[in-house]
Amino acid sequence: MRAVVLASSIAFFLIGEPAFAAEEQAVPPQNSKKLSEIVAKVEKRNDFRYVKEVGWSSDGYTVIYYTTDKAKVEITYDPVTGEPK
């Protein structure tokens, strides 16, 4: 019984460790712009209709939005400068 509990505990820590490391990398830098500022820039673009999705990765904020003519636009923004990459 102890062997099963010990093996389960070791497996949990070995499998769970990469998830904890991924969470640490998934945070924008301290000096990044507010997400609301970046979304406001997107909303001011020509022919903007609506934001469909906003995501975060090590590349920056990725915003997917649609225009009035139903075109899908995907732009990645630098989190610190707030400018498109």
Side-chain angles (χ1 to χ4, degrees):
M1 178 69 173
R2 281 187 172 182
V4 172
V5 173
L6 180 61
S8 298
S9 298
I10 291 172
F12 173 77
F13 285 114
L14 291 177
I15 293 171
E17 189 173 332
F20 294 130
E23 286 180 23
E24 288 179 22
Q25 296 173 2
V27 178
Q30 282 258 325
N31 60 342
S32 64
K33 298 279 186 188
K34 292 181 180 180
L35 180 58
S36 59
E37 292 177 32
I38 293 172
V39 171
K41 282 186 174 190
V42 171
E43 291 174 336
K44 291 178 184 176
R45 294 179 67 92
N46 290 334
D47 298 326
F48 169 82
R49 184 159 182 226
Y50 68 94
V51 172
K52 177 172 175 145
E53 185 177 329
V54 178
W56 167 255
S57 70
S58 59
D59 294 336
Y61 291 107
T62 300
V63 180
I64 299 172
Y65 73 95
Y66 284 85
T67 61
T68 53
D69 62 350
K70 300 179 183 173
K72 180 180 177 181
V73 181
E74 183 174 334
I75 302 176
T76 301
Y77 286 87
D78 182 274
V80 177
T81 64
E83 296 300 318
K85 288 187 168 185

